[in-house]
Amino acid sequence: MLTQYSRFLNGVQKALKVLEILLLSAIVLIMVYQCVMRYIFQQAQPWCEELSLYLSIYSVFLGIPIAVRRDSHLQVDFLLSFLSKKTRSLIAGVSSVAAIVFMGVFFWYSLSLIQHATGASTTLPLRMRDIYYSFPIGAILVILFSVEAAALNFARFLGREPLEKEGD
């Protein structure tokens, strides 16, 4: 069952990587356009900075799950290097469960934020609610990837070495 779940997450991760490429490419193109308009034509476009900011927010919340899956978040693991592989797996599994709980709470409060968001973008025809949708989407994705990480680490702790996940 874990293998099927990991295959599903492989597809989700590939889709997220494509979205990240598109978002970051769009940000670069928009900012290049803004620089050309501002410094060559002296016609700065007010929407460029705002759209780049909103795309960056989505990029962050869609990139966090990829980092969770690859275990590539910034971490202080000096003390962990002195522990056995089994103990490290237990600590990583407990950390994944803590991440699931935290992101569940974050998800709940982000839905509340979306319900109460009444503001609108200054220069674009967007509501702030549209931007805030990135919060629960990112939270759900982190939960999905953290479930896999917890399952893999607890399996390693129990001595059932699962097959390594693909998708990196």
Side-chain angles (χ1 to χ4, degrees):
M1 187 165 117
L2 183 57
T3 305
Q4 291 172 336
Y5 186 64
S6 291
R7 285 187 189 139
F8 165 72
L9 291 183
N10 288 342
V12 173
Q13 182 176 344
K14 286 178 184 175
L16 287 175
K17 285 181 177 180
V18 169
L19 274 171
E20 283 292 324
I21 290 168
L22 293 174
L23 287 170
L24 294 173
S25 299
I27 292 168
V28 168
L29 291 174
I30 291 167
M31 293 313 293
V32 166
Y33 172 76
Q34 174 68 339
C35 289
V36 168
M37 292 303 292
R38 177 181 302 246
Y39 296 113
I40 294 177
F41 297 108
Q42 283 78 38
Q43 297 274 329
Q45 302 297 312
W47 57 269
C48 290
E49 185 178 344
E50 195 171 8
L51 182 57
S52 293
L53 175 67
Y54 297 154
L55 293 177
S56 296
I57 292 169
Y58 269 92
S59 177
V60 166
F61 280 99
L62 295 177
I64 290 171
I66 295 171
V68 166
R69 185 141 197 245
R70 298 177 67 185
D71 196 27
S72 60
H73 279 292
L74 200 60
Q75 51 188 313
V76 179
D77 57 358
F78 174 72
L79 293 177
L80 291 177
S81 65
F82 294 112
L83 301 174
S84 68
K85 185 176 180 184
K86 193 171 184 175
T87 306
R88 280 184 290 198
S89 295
L90 176 63
I91 291 171
V94 170
S95 296
S96 294
V97 170
I100 291 167
V101 170
F102 178 81
M103 293 311 289
V105 172
F106 182 78
F107 174 80
W108 181 260
Y109 282 104
S110 66
L111 290 180
S112 174
L113 177 67
I114 289 169
Q115 290 173 352
H116 294 94
T118 58
S121 171
T122 312
T123 61
L124 298 167
L126 295 171
R127 297 171 300 167
M128 292 313 295
R129 174 180 300 152
D130 300 330
I131 309 310
Y132 296 157
Y133 283 130
S134 65
F135 301 167
I137 292 169
I140 288 172
L141 291 169
V142 169
I143 289 170
L144 289 174
F145 288 122
S146 293
V147 165
E148 179 194 37
L152 288 170
N153 282 301
F154 286 133
R156 285 187 196 114
F157 173 73
L158 295 173
R160 297 186 208 123
E161 192 72 29
L163 296 173
E164 289 298 319
K165 62 181 179 284
E166 300 168 18
D168 282 340

